[in-house]
């Protein structure tokens, strides 16, 4: 059986108006042809989630949030909880994005967010990835440490309910993409690390995504030769045609 492929568009702090967010949703929804093997999601800003969901209607496009509070409710000014996201029919939540880690999010906070997301039936899309690539390959131990921090709070049954996105920081928004060979090497490393921490059948159930300057021009090669289960797309997900091209590249 063919594995499921995931393509998730992380809109980050874009677009600047609700009208534009709904317009982008309408374009993606109109052009997207659903199939059984592909899961497509868009991650708008919190303020746009309700209208984006409404615009998607019955089309098979899921909605993701870009973050979640560590607590389900209570006196936490400015936070948005898993319960609130669930109530708006959000399915996925991006956790531990490097842009949030850069604002002080630690492995411990990431662990709490993963646990609260699972508790309220949101699928965590957990981001990992090194800042720089060194010739000696020390970045592998950095990534391993991040995986271990995640695994330390998840049973085998739970890790099968998360998605892991490898997003090397140096490739995010820079136009510098990892090569398909780099991505393949990391996919093998992540798989073997998860196999050591759990077992092979469990590791095989964890979808692994690549993110970092994925574009319509490089998606086909990265998907064919990179060996991952899909993409987490930033900038290119803000143009409907580009996003659809990337989705289609994973089907070829
Ligand atoms: P870019 O595709 O813009 O490099 O962003 C990647 C990313 O951070 C997705 O979460």
């Amino acid at each position: 059986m063919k594995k499921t492929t995931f393509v998730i568009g992380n809109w980050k702090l874009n677009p600047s108006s609700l009208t534009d967010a709904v317009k982008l949703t309408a374009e993606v929804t109109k052009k997207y042809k659903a199939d059984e093997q592909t899961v497509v999601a868009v991650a708008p800003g919190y303020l746009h989630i309700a209208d984006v969901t409404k615009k998607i209607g019955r089309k098979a496009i899921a909605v993701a949030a870009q973050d979640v509070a560590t607590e389900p409710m209570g006196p936490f000014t400015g936070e948005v909880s898993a319960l609130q996201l669930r109530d708006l029919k959000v399915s996925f939540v991006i956790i531990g994005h490097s842009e949030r880690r850069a604002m002080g999010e630690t492995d411990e906070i990431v662990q709490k967010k993963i646990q609260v997301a699972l508790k309220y039936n949101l699928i965590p899309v957990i981001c990992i990835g090194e800042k720089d690539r060194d010739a000696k390959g020390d970045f592998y131990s950095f990534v391993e440490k991040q995986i271990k921090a995640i695994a330390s709070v998840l049973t085998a049954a739970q890790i099968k309910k998360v998605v892991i996105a490898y997003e090397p920081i140096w490739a995010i928004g820079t136009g510098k993409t990892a090569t398909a060979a780099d991505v393949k090497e990391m996919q093998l490393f992540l798989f073997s690390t998860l196999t050591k921490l759990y077992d092979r059948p469990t590791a095989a159930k964890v979808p692994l995504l690549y993110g970092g300057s994925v574009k319509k021009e490089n998606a086909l090669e990265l998907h064919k030769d990179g060996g991952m289960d899909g993409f987490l797309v930033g900038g290119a997900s803000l143009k409907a045609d580009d996003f659809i091209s990337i989705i289609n590249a994973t089907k070829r």
Side-chain angles (χ1 to χ4, degrees), residues 10 12 97 99 167 171-174 211-215 232-236:
N10 178 6
K12 307 189 179 184
H97 192 282
E99 287 154 14
E167 296 207 307
I172 296 178
T174 57
S213 298
V214 176
K215 308 260 174 272
L232 183 53
V233 187

Side-chain angles (χ1 to χ4, degrees), residues 125-129 163-168 190 207-211 232:
V125 179
I126 310 163
C127 301
I128 55 169
V163 175
I164 295 178
Y166 169 63
E167 296 207 307
L190 296 176
L208 302 174
L209 314 188
Y210 170 76
L232 183 53

Side-chain angles (χ1 to χ4, degrees), residues 90-165:
V90 167
S91 320
F92 294 88
V93 57
I94 298 169
I95 295 176
H97 192 282
S98 58
E99 287 154 14
R100 298 220 59 85
R101 292 187 193 251
M103 290 179 228
E105 188 155 296
T106 59
D107 279 338
E108 199 190 348
I109 297 172
V110 169
Q111 289 167 338
K112 283 195 186 149
K113 290 182 174 180
I114 296 169
Q115 286 170 308
V116 81
L118 287 175
K119 182 165 180 192
Y120 295 103
N121 291 322
L122 292 164
I123 302 170
V125 179
I126 310 163
C127 301
I128 55 169
E130 77 282 359
K131 189 155 178 281
D132 300 302
R133 237 166 212 237
D134 54 303
K136 279 200 336 236
D138 283 349
F139 61 93
Y140 278 109
S141 35
F142 180 82
V143 169
E144 184 179 21
K145 203 175 135 262
Q146 288 184 317
I147 292 271
K148 282 187 171 162
I150 295 163
S152 70
V153 294
L154 298 178
T155 62
Q158 287 175 319
I159 192 98
K160 291 185 210 163
K161 294 187 182 149
V162 314
V163 175
I164 295 178

